[in-house]
Amino acid sequence: MMNMQKMMKQAQDLQKNMKIAQAEIEATTFYGTSAQELVKVAFTGDRKMTQIDISPDLIDPEDSETLSDMITQAVNAALVDIDKTTEQKLGKFTKGLPF
């Protein structure tokens, strides 16, 4: 019976630590930039965009495709950073667990 209590305590500790790590991720601001930093974006750890800055040099009514590409690059860079950080912080809790 003691082993079961110990396992339950470990599971509760793991759950508590995962919640703390998740809260840290959500409280972090992640940034992404495009080539030459012409577009910069900021996201919260729960993937909500909070800011987008576009260089006036990039705004060309004749070339909206470049602007679109740069925004996509910046957004994807920030989302990759969120994924990496999430894996680093939460992956240690789930290693070896069957899913």
Side-chain angles (χ1 to χ4, degrees), residues 21-92:
Q22 185 65 42
E24 288 173 359
I25 292 168
E26 290 176 4
T28 302
T29 300
F30 295 86
Y31 299 94
T33 59
S34 68
Q36 302 157 352
E37 297 190 4
L38 295 171
V39 175
K40 299 175 186 175
V41 296
F43 279 85
T44 59
D46 58 352
R47 298 175 172 268
K48 291 184 176 73
M49 187 185 296
T50 59
Q51 184 177 346
I52 183 167
D53 293 322
I54 301 170
S55 169
D57 298 338
L58 188 58
I59 300 172
D60 178 357
E62 302 294 319
D63 186 15
S64 62
E65 188 174 322
T66 298
L67 176 59
S68 177
D69 290 345
M70 295 289 182
I71 291 170
T72 300
Q73 280 181 358
V75 167
N76 287 335
L79 294 175
V80 165
D81 194 24
I82 293 169
D83 289 342
K84 281 187 204 174
T85 300
T86 300
E87 176 60 31
Q88 288 171 347
K89 289 191 177 226
L90 296 180
K92 64 185 173 191

